[in-house]
Structure formats: C-alpha cells, structure tokens
Amino acid sequence: MTKRIKNEEKSENPKDSAMDEPNLKGDWLNFYFLILLYTFQGTTSGLSYAFPIILQNTKFVTYNDQAILSFVLWPFSFKLLWAPVVDALHLQWIGRRKSWYIPIQLLIGALFLFFADNIDDWLPESGKPNLNMIVCVLFLINFLAATQDIVVDSWALSLLKKNNVSYSSTCNSTGIAFGLYIGSVCPVLLSSEYFCNKYLRFTPDVGGILSIKSFLLFWGIVFLFVTVLIIFKKERNSELEEDDQIKIDIIQSYKLLWDIFKIKHMKLLLMAILTSMIGLCTSESVTNLKLIDAGVSKDDIMIITTAMFILKMCLPIFVTKYTTGPKPISLYLKLMPARLIWSIFFALLIYYTPNVIQSNEVPMYYYLVMGLVFAVNRILAQIMVTCMVAFFSRISDIRFGGMYMTLLNTVRSIGWVIPNTSFLKMVDTLTFSSCSNDVTNSCSTPDLKNICRINDGKCDTIVDGYYVEVVICLIIGFVWYAVYKRHLKFFESKDRSHWLLDYNRPGNV
C-alpha cells in the first residue's frame, strides 16, 4: 500500500481528525525557537533593504545603480538549484538540518565582521560609494542566507508537531519581519545624526549613536555566539513517524524535484505563484525611493517603516486563526484587488508630496496621511504573505520538506526579484525630461544633467516613468486576477494527499 493511500485512510479516522486540530500545547518552545531562526534570516536580508535607502540619500546613485544593487537578492530566486544537495547531504551525528545551519551561520557572522572592517572605505561620507564591493559582499551574505532559508523551511516542517505545521507561516512572518526591521531600519536610523538628536538625545551631538560599522560588528558577534548555542538544540521531533525518515542521495533528490514538478496541476500552480507579484512591484520597490526624490528625508521614511515593521511583527499573531484555517488562498484572493488599487494612493501621495513639502518643513497631517497609506498596504501585504506561506506548508510533503518548500518559495521569490529589478531599471527608461534652457538636452544621463546645471538650468520632468509603471502594473495585476482566481480556488479545494509524492523506497525514484 502506498504512502498516499495510508494518509487517506488516516484522514478518514475521526480520532485522527480530532488530533489534527492545531494546538501549541507542548510545542511553544519550538514555536519561539523557529521565530528566532527566522529572525536571524531576516536580519541578513534586511541589510539588502537598508542600503538602497542609504545610497539614494547620498545623491550619487541612479535608478540603474539601484537596479544593480537589487541583484543581491537574486540568490533567493535560484536556491532551488542547490536545494536537493542541502536536502540529501548531512552528517548524522550533527543532525540533518544543523549540519548545514551551523557552518552557514558561522560564515555569515564572519562576513558581517569583514563588512564592518571595510564599510568606512566602501561608503565614504562624501563621494561615490564603492558599489561593486558592497554588491559582492551583500550577494555572498544573501547566498548563504538563501541556503539557510532552505534549511529553516524544511526544519520547520519537522520541528513542530504535524498538527501545528501551519503555524510555521506565523513563525516565518513574525520572525522575518523582526529580522528585517533589525537589519534595515536600525542601521539607518541609529546612524542618523538628525534622528538621534531629535528623538534619542537630551543634548545634540555629532553623528548617530551607532555607526553602520558598529552595527555590523555587533551582529557579527551575535551570529557567532548564538550559533554555538544552537549546537545543543535537539533537532528532530520525537513524534515524527519512522516512515517519514527516508534517506536519499543527491541524484535521487534531483529526480524527486522533477517528480514534484510532475504532480498534477503543479505546473499551473507554480505559474500562478510566479506571476502573482508583477502587478505589485512598482508600489513595493520604487515608492520609497521616489518619496526621497520628492523631498521626504530618509529618516522620516525609516520612521514610517519602523511602524510598518511593528505591524508586520504583530499582525500574523492576530490573523493566525484565518491563515491557518482551511481556506488561506481564498482570503489571499479577496485582498488582491484592494492591494492592487492601493498603488493608486501611493502614486497620489508621491505626486502631491513636492507641493506639500516647502522649505524642508513637513506638516503633521502629511505624516498622518503617509502613515495611513503605508499602514493599509502593509496590513494587506502581510496577511497575503502569511496566507501564501500557510498554503505552502499545508501542501508540502514533510519527507522532502527542503525541496518542496524551497521550490514553492523560490518560485515566489523569482516572481518578486526579477520584476523588481526590471521595473527599477525601467524608471529611467520611461522617464522623459528636458533642460529648462536647452530643449535639445534630454537629461537622460548624469553627464547631461550636470551640463544642464552648469548652464544654470534645471531638468524638468515631462513624463515620470513611475506613474507609467503604476498603470502597467495595475493592468497586469487585474489580468492575473481574472486568469488565476478560479484555478487557485480549485487548488485549495484539493485534499493534501493530492500534493504528496507517491514514494516509499529510494528504489522507486
């Protein structure tokens, strides 16, 4: 009898069905431990979101430079290539997941220390930053973090009890949000002289209370210290069944990955996931940069971002009963149209910002409006992310969690980072300007802009590429919604056994 038939028989037993109800009693320590793992993972990624804000504020980078910087997140989109290796190779005496997690986190800690030692040279107070070295180090950190993501996602499926696996989406959302806050907001605000003098000091002083160098140094040490403590964490949950413990080699792992692709309806599901973020890319990736260009300081942006991270950390806890319910994708689909339409409010906010901000004085009502626009978007986004991850956790085969979860999350990541990079590069391409005293000067390059300024002119924008992209994304987003709504609801209605691999022994691969 196959594993799938066994699972179907179990699901028909009323006693087993009652035991399948989520209940964290006896699982709270694992729940918090999983949040800690995702927090460290989010902290590494957070740096990749902090540096675009830091660099944009220097006025020495273009949107093309920002597009180059966005490549540092690409390892998360290609981790599927080495996920089978991570899933197949391990040292039994250390543990299947800790064999990878421990050395990876040690390397990340070492890279943080290396970054701290060189950041002052690569990011001078004045002058163009060394973008190449910053991109290289961040790319390597994210490569390790992406591998760590494979490990943590698969560990989550066995760390929690089987009836609590859906809570892994809550751990993911809360931990990643907290880590992103630490890695992105803290180095920007705590290194800002303006922010520290206004909010954190009784008497003004020069510089922030924490430099970017000291931030990197501190977290490099924390990563190394906590990694030592994780060595003593017991890896496997004792309630896992013996038949879940299947040993396979690397070749079999890649064959299994292909078998996941061949599951009925899987290709269509992956296509829906891959294209789900295109309609949201402009509002999510370009808005903060455009607000800085419009006159909002990076400190004010990060203060608003801080409030949004508090929402991201707390919200999953309050919506858990909805996202761990039987229909998380239905909730996702209900919120998609509202989130698409909300990009119009971002466009209106950016359009009126230069008129509101005069002589560097920002009225209080503007902050309230900006906070409301960001808050509604963040609430919608966070619930949707939690719903999607809950669905991934539900359909993933626990026996091959590393590959299964990595496949789904990688496709979702590709659907974010590639359009993100593309739309960042397209902002300059779709923007048309001219010099106020020379109509033949299109101000399309930094050199042409400098020539215009030297001749006492200024570059006037005729068509802003940001607004063009907002319209393009809205059209793509609603087309996606019309095409995939019915399919996604159908996928959600399928029993979990439909998504399991019919596999008992390595010889069956």
Side-chain angles (χ1 to χ4, degrees):
M1 184 181 293
T2 66
K3 179 70 175 176
R4 183 176 298 178
I5 296 175
K6 287 181 181 180
N7 279 321
E8 290 173 347
E9 289 181 348
K10 288 180 182 179
S11 64
E12 295 173 357
N13 190 323
K15 182 178 178 181
D16 289 339
S17 298
M19 292 176 64
D20 285 340
E21 291 293 325
N23 182 0
L24 284 174
K25 184 178 180 181
D27 226 0
W28 281 106
L29 286 178
N30 289 328
F31 178 81
Y32 290 124
F33 177 71
L34 192 55
I35 290 178
L36 176 66
L37 297 185
Y38 279 120
T39 298
F40 279 108
Q41 186 179 314
T43 301
T44 57
S45 301
L47 283 176
S48 302
Y49 293 99
F51 272 89
I53 300 295
I54 294 170
L55 293 175
Q56 190 74 11
N57 194 64
T58 65
K59 306 299 182 183
F60 286 101
V61 296
T62 64
Y63 281 98
N64 188 61
D65 293 329
Q66 292 285 6
I68 294 173
L69 184 60
S70 71
F71 278 106
V72 302
L73 291 172
W74 279 48
F76 288 95
S77 300
F78 295 97
K79 61 186 179 181
L80 185 63
L81 297 176
W82 60 92
V85 177
V86 175
D87 224 34
L89 297 181
H90 64 277
L91 297 175
Q92 189 66 36
W93 61 277
I94 296 179
R96 186 175 183 181
R97 308 307 176 192
K98 290 196 297 183
S99 294
W100 287 92
Y101 190 91
I102 291 171
I104 286 172
Q105 186 143 304
L106 289 174
L107 285 172
I108 292 175
L111 278 172
F112 266 64
L113 298 180
F114 174 72
F115 206 0
D117 190 49
N118 292 278
I119 191 63
D120 289 340
D121 295 328
W122 297 344
L123 190 64
E125 293 184 6
S126 61
K128 191 170 179 65
N130 190 335
L131 188 64
N132 291 334
M133 288 306 301
I134 292 174
V135 168
C136 286
V137 174
L138 286 177
F139 185 91
L140 186 54
I141 289 175
N142 280 324
F143 173 79
L144 294 171
T147 308
Q148 191 180 59
D149 188 33
I150 301 169
V151 178
V152 176
D153 282 346
S154 55
W155 197 353
L157 297 177
S158 59
L159 186 65
L160 297 173
K161 296 177 183 178
K162 289 186 177 181
N163 59 314
N164 291 328
V165 165
S166 58
Y167 278 105
S168 64
S169 65
T170 303
C171 298
N172 180 298
S173 299
T174 303
I176 292 288
F178 187 46
L180 285 172
Y181 171 77
I182 293 172
S184 62
V185 176
C186 290
V188 175
L189 290 184
L190 297 183
S191 64
S192 169
E193 179 180 326
Y194 168 80
F195 176 81
C196 293
N197 286 339
K198 185 174 182 179
Y199 297 104
L200 302 180
R201 289 180 176 138
F202 293 106
T203 56
D205 201 353
V206 177
I209 63 174
L210 184 72
S211 66
I212 297 177
K213 178 178 181 177
S214 56
F215 173 85
L216 293 169
L217 182 63
F218 172 78
W219 279 101
I221 295 172
V222 170
F223 267 70
L224 297 177
F225 176 74
V226 173
T227 306
V228 176
L229 299 181
I230 291 176
I231 294 175
F232 301 99
K233 169 65 181 175
K234 185 178 179 180
E235 182 170 323
R236 292 194 61 83
N237 191 308
S238 60
E239 295 189 16
L240 283 176
E241 299 176 1
E242 288 298 323
D243 55 5
D244 282 335
Q245 302 179 26
I246 298 174
K247 297 181 179 180
I248 54 178
D249 58 31
I250 296 177
I251 302 299
Q252 291 169 336
S253 292
Y254 280 101
K255 289 181 179 179
L256 278 169
L257 186 60
W258 180 244
D259 286 339
I260 296 174
F261 273 106
K262 292 192 295 183
I263 293 175
K264 190 175 181 180
H265 306 304
M266 179 59 74
K267 294 183 181 67
L268 187 58
L269 172 62
L270 294 178
M271 183 58 66
I273 297 170
L274 180 67
T275 54
S276 63
M277 290 296 293
I278 297 177
L280 306 168
C281 272
T282 299
S283 61
E284 292 292 328
S285 62
V286 189
T287 295
N288 284 346
L289 305 179
K290 291 298 293 186
L291 283 171
I292 292 175
D293 286 345
V296 181
S297 72
K298 69 176 178 61
D299 296 328
D300 290 337
I301 291 290
M302 297 315 291
I303 290 172
I304 293 293
T305 304
T306 298
M308 297 308 103
F309 274 116
I310 293 174
L311 272 178
K312 288 181 70 173
M313 287 181 277
C314 298
L315 197 61
I317 298 173
F318 295 106
V319 301
T320 293
K321 68 176 181 179
Y322 302 106
T323 57
T324 58
K327 296 183 176 181
I329 290 298
S330 294
L331 179 57
Y332 179 95
L333 291 171
K334 288 178 181 178
L335 298 179
M336 176 60 87
R339 193 172 171 203
L340 288 169
I341 292 173
W342 207 252
S343 62
I344 298 174
F345 289 90
F346 276 124
L348 291 173
L349 178 69
I350 291 171
Y351 181 80
Y352 285 106
T353 292
N355 298 326
V356 175
I357 300 177
Q358 297 178 356
S359 302
N360 293 325
E361 291 293 331
V362 184
M364 183 56 65
Y365 75 84
Y366 176 82
Y367 288 123
L368 295 176
V369 172
M370 183 167 66
L372 177 63
V373 172
F374 272 82
V376 172
N377 181 72
R378 182 44 49 202
I379 290 171
L380 294 173
Q382 196 60 33
I383 294 176
M384 289 172 67
V385 168
T386 307
C387 287
M388 187 66 78
V389 176
F391 179 68
F392 291 170
S393 300
R394 178 173 300 163
I395 68 175
S396 294
D397 193 327
I398 190 174
R399 298 168 299 172
F400 319 108
M403 286 179 294
Y404 216 123
M405 282 293 288
T406 299
L407 170 63
L408 297 172
N409 282 318
T410 298
V411 171
R412 179 171 168 269
S413 178
I414 292 174
W416 163 246
V417 298
I418 294 180
N420 176 40
T421 300
S422 301
F423 280 109
L424 278 170
K425 290 183 73 69
M426 285 169 58
V427 171
D428 286 334
T429 304
L430 297 174
T431 298
F432 298 94
S433 305
S434 67
C435 186
S436 58
N437 57 10
D438 183 3
V439 293
T440 62
N441 186 342
S442 64
C443 293
S444 57
T445 65
D447 290 337
L448 290 175
K449 291 178 181 179
N450 288 331
I451 292 173
C452 183
R453 294 191 191 100
I454 292 171
N455 294 327
D456 297 324
K458 67 174 184 176
C459 292
D460 296 322
T461 300
I462 301 172
V463 177
D464 193 323
Y466 173 79
Y467 302 111
V468 178
E469 288 189 0
V470 168
V471 174
I472 294 173
C473 285
L474 269 175
I475 295 172
I476 293 174
F478 277 106
V479 169
W480 177 91
Y481 184 76
V483 171
Y484 288 108
K485 178 181 178 181
R486 181 174 59 86
H487 293 298
L488 287 173
K489 284 192 171 183
F490 172 72
F491 298 152
E492 184 180 54
S493 69
K494 303 295 288 184
D495 187 83
R496 183 176 181 272
S497 60
H498 172 82
W499 305 102
L500 299 180
L501 286 168
D502 190 3
Y503 171 82
N504 277 328
R505 298 173 300 277
N508 289 354
V509 178

